[in-house]
Amino acid sequence: MREFHPLTIERIEAETKDSVRIALGVPTEFASDYGFLAGQHLPFQITVDGRKLRRTYSICSAQGELPLEIGVRVQPGGQFSEFAANDLAVGDTIEAMSPSGQFHVELDAANVKDYVGFAAGSGITPILSMIKSILTQEPNSRFILFYGNRKQSTTMFIEDLYALKNLYPERLQLNFVFSQEEQEFETMVGRLNGDKVRELYTHFGAGLRASDCFVCGPDSMIQDVTEALIDLGMDEAHVHSERFGVPRKDAKPKAAEQGVADHTTDRATVTVIMDGHKKEFDMHRDDANIVDAAADNGIELPYSCKGGVCATCRCHVREGEVTMATNYGLEPWEVEKGFVLACQSRPLSDTIVLDYDKI
Ligand code: FES
């Protein structure tokens, strides 16, 4: 079962005026649980005033690299980010679940690819992991980055990016877009939205003919950039996105499972398969979601955001049908193959079997 383990703070330092980078050591006994793919994230848990608080942060280290590094933008009033910036110290431990997430690259040393990344603000963190991993593990691939920020001084990991550019001048192209700072080229001033992507495409032309595009930032940026890339001819299956923060009320979710009701009672039996073990509980069909219903029955299922974004609760419907309220975390192919977000799902059939072991 994916569970929380204490990771040790090996290093914590200011990244910009309002962000920190934290290096996390993994105890040897859990090391095998913390392998990750470039782009994946870690769910964290802290307790504030007796209340458990969970947040997800992307790993920005290269795939296979230890310690695991994350970048945290401090949000005013943000309980988790303020705790991370102000209360954590070297030697402390913090609870983290093993890495997860479908926003990742499949590295292959034989690949000859042009990857393009669009990152806004702290959306750079998973993309930085991809850049480092691709440059070191795919010697014939290139990465073209478009990175939007207010100004240079608020740009997270800018020094790391310049250091990578020095090491791989032919294979890494950096394009910084600032909304509150003059630049030599007008094209590089503004916000990273759909119009800007079209403008950049016109300016860079062939540079945007990517094998895969990775987009990470707030939901409005994801929506605008993704739509623009598809308009510009990019195959939707090759545009991958990961949003952070809570989506706007009017944000367009990805497809959500809508099964056909096939029930005879107002209760359903849920069987959960995890690490080869089965657990079973009953829930009312109107209960908010499967994760909360399981908790009411003393069964803890994996979750972090409970907002349909992080996909920590992803599982496969092996039998039966569920309805998923919203989905910002699963790709269309995952929904088609029967994967759901348990934090957004309720049973439609009398019995359902959820498999957490299927990848
Ligand atoms: S817990 Fe984040 S999507 Fe379900």
Side-chain angles (χ1 to χ4, degrees), residues 32-323:
S32 59
D33 291 333
Y34 287 82
F36 68 97
L37 301 173
Q40 287 192 310
H41 49 240
L42 289 169
F44 289 90
Q45 174 171 275
I46 58 170
T47 305
V48 177
D49 299 331
R51 207 166 51 88
K52 283 201 163 98
L53 209 63
R54 292 188 180 180
R55 294 289 182 275
T56 305
Y57 286 94
S58 295
I59 301 166
C60 46
S61 322
Q63 187 170 310
E65 188 180 76
L66 284 174
L68 302 174
E69 204 169 54
I70 58 166
V72 178
R73 175 84 75 192
V74 184
Q75 308 291 346
Q79 284 179 298
F80 193 99
S81 62
E82 287 193 342
F83 169 82
N86 303 327
D87 298 340
L88 282 178
V90 171
D92 288 352
T93 58
I94 185 166
E95 286 189 279
M97 204 183 267
S98 52
S100 60
Q102 297 300 310
F103 184 68
H104 60 74
V105 274
E106 302 284 348
L107 296 170
D108 183 339
N111 277 344
V112 184
K113 288 188 171 184
D114 273 3
Y115 297 96
V116 174
F118 292 88
S122 56
I124 189 64
T125 48
I127 290 183
L128 179 60
S129 171
M130 292 176 183
I131 295 173
K132 289 177 181 171
S133 308
I134 288 164
L135 292 176
T136 52
Q137 298 179 43
E138 290 193 359
N140 297 309
S141 293
R142 298 195 309 154
F143 202 103
I144 300 148
L145 174 69
F146 295 90
Y147 183 16
N149 283 280
R150 278 178 288 133
K151 45 180 104 164
Q152 179 150 333
S153 61
T154 64
T155 302
M156 292 174 75
F157 298 106
I158 195 164
E159 294 304 329
D160 297 55
L161 289 165
Y162 282 136
L164 286 165
K165 175 73 183 164
N166 279 339
L167 282 173
Y168 304 98
E170 304 297 324
R171 295 200 291 123
L172 175 63
Q173 190 186 114
L174 299 178
N175 303 288
F176 295 102
V177 180
F178 296 132
S179 61
Q180 295 176 13
E181 201 162 82
E182 292 303 312
Q183 297 246 62
E184 193 180 345
F185 300 108
E186 193 55 32
T187 315
M188 308 313 286
V189 178
R191 295 174 72 82
L192 212 44
N193 56 22
D195 288 344
K196 183 55 72 182
V197 170
R198 289 182 185 89
E199 195 185 333
L200 291 165
Y201 184 86
T202 310
H203 191 81
F204 287 91
L208 286 184
R209 279 193 206 105
S211 317
D212 284 282
C213 276
F214 294 94
V215 188
C216 187
D219 73 291
S220 55
M221 174 265 187
I222 300 268
Q223 214 166 301
D224 289 355
V225 172
T226 303
E227 279 172 13
L229 289 170
I230 293 166
D231 280 358
L232 290 165
M234 186 81 200
D235 180 352
E236 193 172 355
H238 292 276
V239 180
H240 316 280
S241 62
E242 179 152 280
R243 67 196 67 228
F244 56 74
V246 181
R248 284 183 327 224
K249 289 252 177 309
D250 62 342
K252 197 166 106 197
K254 297 175 188 174
E257 175 89 346
Q258 293 297 340
V260 180
D262 178 23
H263 58 263
T264 53
T265 71
D266 58 1
R267 295 194 73 78
T269 303
V270 181
T271 304
V272 171
I273 302 170
M274 203 180 286
D275 298 330
H277 299 296
K278 281 189 184 176
K279 287 181 182 166
E280 194 177 286
F281 61 94
D282 277 358
M283 69 181 278
H284 198 280
R285 218 172 287 287
D286 292 336
D287 285 347
N289 62 68
I290 290 166
V291 172
D292 287 347
D296 290 343
N297 285 278
I299 297 172
E300 172 140 10
L301 299 179
Y303 74 87
S304 181
C305 73
K306 282 200 189 168
V309 177
C310 71
T312 304
C313 61
R314 177 184 186 266
C315 57
H316 186 255
V317 182
R318 192 192 269 198
E319 281 175 41
E321 287 208 78
V322 305
T323 177

